[in-house]
Amino acid sequence: MLSVRPHKEAIRHGGGLRAASYAHPEVTEPWLDLSTGINPVPYPARPASMAERGRLPDPLELAALEDTAARYFHAKPERVAAAAGAETVIRLLPVLLGRVTVDIVGPTYGAHAEAWQAAFLAPMTIGQHQAEGSGADVLVIVNPNNPDGYTYTKAELTRILRKREAKGRWLVIDESFGECAPENTMTDVVSDRLIVLRSFGKFFGLAGVRLGFAIASPSFKASFRALTGDWPVCADAIAMGRQAYADIAWSETTLALLQGQAARLDEVLTSAGFEVKGGTCLFRLARHDRAHDWFWHLCRRGILTRPFDHTPNVLRFGLPHPEDFLRVQRALEAGL
């Protein structure tokens, strides 16, 4: 029974290293988790001090975090609301937006549909080229998309937004991988009908810190904060977020490095017989007729990738740490 657990866990959202290790006791090397799109070289942030951890976060510290993030996003601080990860925003959207009709451009990150379904609503999945014609009260777009990396341009999104706001409809854009396509971010666009989600953990490689943001109207921020309370994020998230978002030089250098690593991974995957279908600088989506066999082949070598139930002939590969790249390359070169 344990042998199917990592597969099911990976299909849901990636991760599941503990289940994978139970299913493959023959693996003696440390596991490589390539099932998530998280930067393998995290930002070297200092955690909060023991004194800061020993008390409740001060409202001024939270405001300072949101101010720093706002400068990074080129947004107004009154439109930026911190949360315990973008996932928190996703799960609370049905509560904040109410009984509405919802279109989700997909296939995409499954939590979006799950959140609306948990609210006893029935979101519809539409294709990427149907977005502009959506008549739903809420349209959800992940940009760049997870898992295929499909990216709408800023001009396209702005056109969709203006049509929707003229009819009083919402546009939700999940930019959890927004750092990979900074030229198309909508965080600096002001609209009462726009909600942009941002993730801290993916690009900065600190997913366990649990920090994300909703960038929306001040009234939405007030309603969101009423649900999350006075202390929506922890002391470590405040301290580490303020450092990372202020370090623009690190972000620019890291983006270039990740792009180079992604290109290198594409070459290795292609040599192994995969067809690279897309992705971002943090993950690659690759097609192979025997993707299922490749998933287990890599598991037996302690490398966890991400399969998908909706497209069984593809795998998603997160970027390995530079020190682990050769190990991944050898596992792929070994063949099935």
Side-chain angles (χ1 to χ4, degrees):
M1 184 174 294
L2 280 173
S3 64
V4 301
R5 287 178 61 193
H7 192 201
K8 289 183 177 180
E9 186 73 9
I11 282 176
R12 175 166 155 71
H13 51 53
L17 282 182
R18 186 178 295 275
S21 64
Y22 281 131
H24 295 277
E26 74 277 11
V27 176
T28 57
E29 294 183 87
W31 276 81
L32 300 182
D33 186 2
L34 305 188
S35 66
T36 60
I38 298 171
N39 187 347
V41 184
Y43 181 79
R46 300 180 304 277
S49 67
M50 291 305 296
E52 290 168 329
R53 289 176 174 176
R55 57 174 172 78
L56 292 170
D58 188 282
L60 293 179
E61 294 171 343
L62 176 63
L65 167 64
E66 292 175 340
D67 285 349
T68 303
R71 287 192 294 273
Y72 179 89
F73 298 139
H74 301 288
K76 296 181 178 181
E78 61 268 24
R79 296 180 59 86
V80 177
E87 185 85 2
T88 296
V89 186
I90 293 171
R91 300 292 175 170
L92 289 179
L93 282 176
V95 180
L96 291 158
L97 300 186
R99 305 291 301 178
V100 292
T101 56
V102 183
D103 281 346
I104 301 173
V105 176
T108 192
Y109 181 52
H112 285 286
E114 291 174 4
W116 295 101
Q117 290 163 354
F120 303 102
L121 297 173
M124 297 292 294
T125 299
I126 64 173
Q128 290 158 340
H129 301 295
Q130 296 174 290
E132 192 166 348
S134 169
D137 300 320
V138 178
L139 173 62
V140 179
I141 295 175
V142 179
N143 201 60
N145 190 43
N146 174 12
D148 61 11
Y150 182 90
T151 305
Y152 291 89
T153 66
K154 187 168 187 173
E156 290 172 327
L157 291 172
T158 301
R159 185 171 64 248
I160 292 171
L161 172 64
R162 298 312 177 199
K163 288 185 177 181
R164 295 189 64 78
E165 66 182 359
K167 296 183 178 181
R169 295 169 179 163
W170 291 94
L171 176 60
V172 176
I173 304 177
D174 181 347
E175 293 187 0
S176 289
F177 292 96
E179 278 87 354
C180 296
E183 67 279 8
N184 294 313
T185 182
M186 293 287 282
T187 54
D188 60 341
V189 176
V190 175
S191 171
D192 288 344
R193 288 290 165 172
L194 174 66
I195 302 168
V196 181
L197 283 56
R198 291 296 292 247
S199 169
F200 172 72
K202 294 178 176 64
F203 181 74
F204 290 99
L206 296 167
V209 174
R210 304 312 303 139
L211 176 61
F213 297 88
I215 300 148
S217 67
S219 61
F220 179 91
K221 176 177 177 177
S223 298
F224 181 72
R225 185 55 46 77
L227 289 176
T228 58
D230 294 330
W231 306 288
V233 296
C234 69
D236 282 337
I238 292 174
M240 300 170 88
R242 290 180 67 182
Q243 296 167 55
Y245 282 121
D247 196 342
I248 303 302
W250 184 92
S251 294
E252 293 175 346
T253 300
T254 296
L255 176 59
L257 291 172
L258 291 173
Q259 289 170 336
Q261 286 290 89
R264 182 184 177 192
L265 182 57
D266 283 355
E267 293 176 0
V268 173
L269 289 169
T270 301
S271 296
F274 283 87
E275 178 187 2
V276 178
K277 301 296 291 184
T280 71
C281 66
L282 285 170
F283 63 82
R284 312 304 294 159
L285 188 72
R287 181 191 180 281
H288 197 285
D289 290 339
R290 298 182 64 187
H292 179 83
D293 295 329
W294 271 107
F295 174 79
W296 291 108
H297 165 83
L298 293 168
C299 275
R300 287 189 291 271
R301 286 156 179 77
I303 300 171
L304 186 62
T305 58
R306 171 74 190 277
F308 296 91
D309 54 357
H310 56 72
T311 314
N313 62 351
V314 301
L315 291 178
R316 191 184 70 184
F317 291 78
L319 296 190
H321 190 283
E323 295 178 359
D324 297 319
F325 206 100
L326 186 58
R327 178 179 165 188
V328 175
Q329 182 174 347
R330 287 173 175 166
L332 289 166
E333 288 174 347
L336 293 173

Short mmCIF file of all heavy atoms in Angstrom, two decimals, residues 13 29 40 49 74 83 104 111 130 137 156 195 216 219 228 252 269 305 318 325 327:
data_model
loop_
_atom_site.label_atom_id
_atom_site.label_comp_id
_atom_site.label_asym_id
_atom_site.label_seq_id
_atom_site.Cartn_x
_atom_site.Cartn_y
_atom_site.Cartn_z
N HIS A 13 0.10 17.87 -4.98
CA HIS A 13 0.77 19.18 -4.96
C HIS A 13 2.28 19.11 -4.92
O HIS A 13 2.93 20.11 -4.70
CB HIS A 13 0.28 20.00 -3.78
CG HIS A 13 0.34 19.29 -2.46
ND1 HIS A 13 1.47 18.69 -1.99
CD2 HIS A 13 -0.61 19.08 -1.51
CE1 HIS A 13 1.23 18.15 -0.80
NE2 HIS A 13 -0.01 18.35 -0.50
N GLU A 29 20.91 7.19 -0.59
CA GLU A 29 21.33 8.59 -0.70
C GLU A 29 20.22 9.51 -0.20
O GLU A 29 19.05 9.13 -0.17
CB GLU A 29 21.65 8.92 -2.16
CG GLU A 29 22.84 8.20 -2.74
CD GLU A 29 23.11 8.66 -4.16
OE1 GLU A 29 23.84 9.66 -4.31
OE2 GLU A 29 22.60 8.03 -5.09
N PRO A 40 16.31 25.97 -5.37
CA PRO A 40 17.14 25.09 -4.54
C PRO A 40 18.26 25.81 -3.79
O PRO A 40 18.89 25.22 -2.92
CB PRO A 40 17.71 24.10 -5.55
CG PRO A 40 17.78 24.88 -6.83
CD PRO A 40 16.56 25.77 -6.82
N SER A 49 15.04 37.38 15.81
CA SER A 49 15.78 37.15 17.06
C SER A 49 14.89 36.42 18.05
O SER A 49 13.66 36.35 17.90
CB SER A 49 16.22 38.49 17.65
OG SER A 49 15.08 39.22 18.08
N HIS A 74 6.32 47.21 -6.87
CA HIS A 74 5.93 48.47 -7.51
C HIS A 74 4.44 48.74 -7.29
O HIS A 74 3.72 49.19 -8.19
CB HIS A 74 6.27 48.47 -9.00
CG HIS A 74 7.73 48.26 -9.28
ND1 HIS A 74 8.69 49.22 -9.02
CD2 HIS A 74 8.39 47.17 -9.76
CE1 HIS A 74 9.88 48.75 -9.35
NE2 HIS A 74 9.73 47.51 -9.79
N ALA A 83 0.21 37.50 4.14
CA ALA A 83 -0.54 36.31 4.56
C ALA A 83 0.44 35.17 4.79
O ALA A 83 1.60 35.22 4.36
CB ALA A 83 -1.56 35.92 3.50
N ILE A 104 -11.83 29.07 -14.11
CA ILE A 104 -10.41 28.92 -13.82
C ILE A 104 -9.72 28.48 -15.10
O ILE A 104 -10.09 27.45 -15.69
CB ILE A 104 -10.16 27.89 -12.71
CG1 ILE A 104 -10.87 28.30 -11.42
CG2 ILE A 104 -8.66 27.71 -12.46
CD1 ILE A 104 -10.80 27.26 -10.31
N ALA A 111 -5.29 23.78 -6.10
CA ALA A 111 -5.89 24.40 -4.91
C ALA A 111 -6.94 25.43 -5.26
O ALA A 111 -7.85 25.69 -4.47
CB ALA A 111 -4.80 25.03 -4.04
N GLN A 130 -9.83 31.09 -23.92
CA GLN A 130 -11.21 31.43 -23.61
C GLN A 130 -11.31 32.50 -22.52
O GLN A 130 -12.40 32.95 -22.19
CB GLN A 130 -11.98 30.19 -23.15
CG GLN A 130 -12.12 29.11 -24.21
CD GLN A 130 -12.76 27.85 -23.65
OE1 GLN A 130 -12.19 27.13 -22.85
NE2 GLN A 130 -13.99 27.60 -24.07
N ASP A 137 -18.44 35.53 -12.79
CA ASP A 137 -18.22 36.63 -11.85
C ASP A 137 -16.75 36.76 -11.48
O ASP A 137 -16.24 37.87 -11.26
CB ASP A 137 -19.03 36.41 -10.57
CG ASP A 137 -20.51 36.32 -10.81
OD1 ASP A 137 -21.02 37.09 -11.65
OD2 ASP A 137 -21.17 35.47 -10.19
N GLU A 156 -2.20 41.67 -22.59
CA GLU A 156 -3.36 40.78 -22.66
C GLU A 156 -4.15 40.80 -21.36
O GLU A 156 -5.39 40.88 -21.36
CB GLU A 156 -2.90 39.36 -22.97
CG GLU A 156 -2.38 39.16 -24.38
CD GLU A 156 -1.76 37.80 -24.59
OE1 GLU A 156 -1.17 37.24 -23.64
OE2 GLU A 156 -1.86 37.27 -25.72
N ILE A 195 -7.28 41.23 -8.10
CA ILE A 195 -6.58 40.64 -6.95
C ILE A 195 -5.39 39.87 -7.48
O ILE A 195 -5.55 38.95 -8.30
CB ILE A 195 -7.50 39.69 -6.15
CG1 ILE A 195 -8.76 40.41 -5.67
CG2 ILE A 195 -6.74 39.09 -4.96
CD1 ILE A 195 -9.82 39.48 -5.13
N ALA A 216 -4.41 44.08 -3.75
CA ALA A 216 -5.78 44.38 -4.17
C ALA A 216 -6.18 45.74 -3.62
O ALA A 216 -5.35 46.48 -3.08
CB ALA A 216 -6.73 43.29 -3.70
N SER A 219 -10.07 48.25 0.34
CA SER A 219 -11.25 47.66 0.96
C SER A 219 -11.13 46.14 1.02
O SER A 219 -11.53 45.51 2.01
CB SER A 219 -12.52 48.07 0.22
OG SER A 219 -12.48 47.62 -1.13
N THR A 228 -7.89 37.29 8.73
CA THR A 228 -6.60 36.72 9.14
C THR A 228 -6.14 37.22 10.50
O THR A 228 -5.23 36.64 11.09
CB THR A 228 -5.52 37.03 8.10
OG1 THR A 228 -5.41 38.45 7.91
CG2 THR A 228 -5.86 36.37 6.77
N GLU A 252 17.96 40.01 -8.96
CA GLU A 252 18.35 40.11 -10.37
C GLU A 252 19.39 39.07 -10.73
O GLU A 252 19.31 38.43 -11.79
CB GLU A 252 18.87 41.52 -10.65
CG GLU A 252 17.78 42.60 -10.56
CD GLU A 252 18.33 44.00 -10.71
OE1 GLU A 252 19.58 44.16 -10.63
OE2 GLU A 252 17.53 44.93 -10.92
N LEU A 269 17.24 16.76 -20.27
CA LEU A 269 15.97 16.08 -20.49
C LEU A 269 15.82 15.69 -21.96
O LEU A 269 15.37 14.58 -22.27
CB LEU A 269 14.81 16.99 -20.06
CG LEU A 269 14.65 17.20 -18.56
CD1 LEU A 269 13.65 18.33 -18.28
CD2 LEU A 269 14.19 15.91 -17.88
N THR A 305 9.98 13.44 -8.66
CA THR A 305 9.48 14.41 -9.62
C THR A 305 7.97 14.53 -9.44
O THR A 305 7.40 14.00 -8.50
CB THR A 305 9.82 13.97 -11.05
OG1 THR A 305 9.27 12.67 -11.30
CG2 THR A 305 11.34 13.95 -11.24
N GLY A 318 11.49 20.11 -10.98
CA GLY A 318 12.04 21.30 -10.38
C GLY A 318 13.54 21.35 -10.63
O GLY A 318 14.16 20.35 -11.01
N PHE A 325 23.20 18.44 -9.63
CA PHE A 325 22.83 18.37 -11.04
C PHE A 325 23.40 17.12 -11.71
O PHE A 325 22.70 16.45 -12.49
CB PHE A 325 23.30 19.63 -11.77
CG PHE A 325 22.48 19.95 -12.98
CD1 PHE A 325 21.51 20.92 -12.93
CD2 PHE A 325 22.68 19.26 -14.18
CE1 PHE A 325 20.73 21.22 -14.05
CE2 PHE A 325 21.90 19.55 -15.29
CZ PHE A 325 20.93 20.53 -15.23
N ARG A 327 24.06 14.25 -10.42
CA ARG A 327 23.32 13.07 -10.00
C ARG A 327 22.04 12.90 -10.82
O ARG A 327 21.70 11.79 -11.25
CB ARG A 327 22.98 13.17 -8.51
CG ARG A 327 22.17 12.01 -7.97
CD ARG A 327 21.90 12.18 -6.50
NE ARG A 327 20.85 11.28 -6.04
CZ ARG A 327 20.29 11.32 -4.82
NH1 ARG A 327 20.72 12.23 -3.95
NH2 ARG A 327 19.34 10.48 -4.49
#
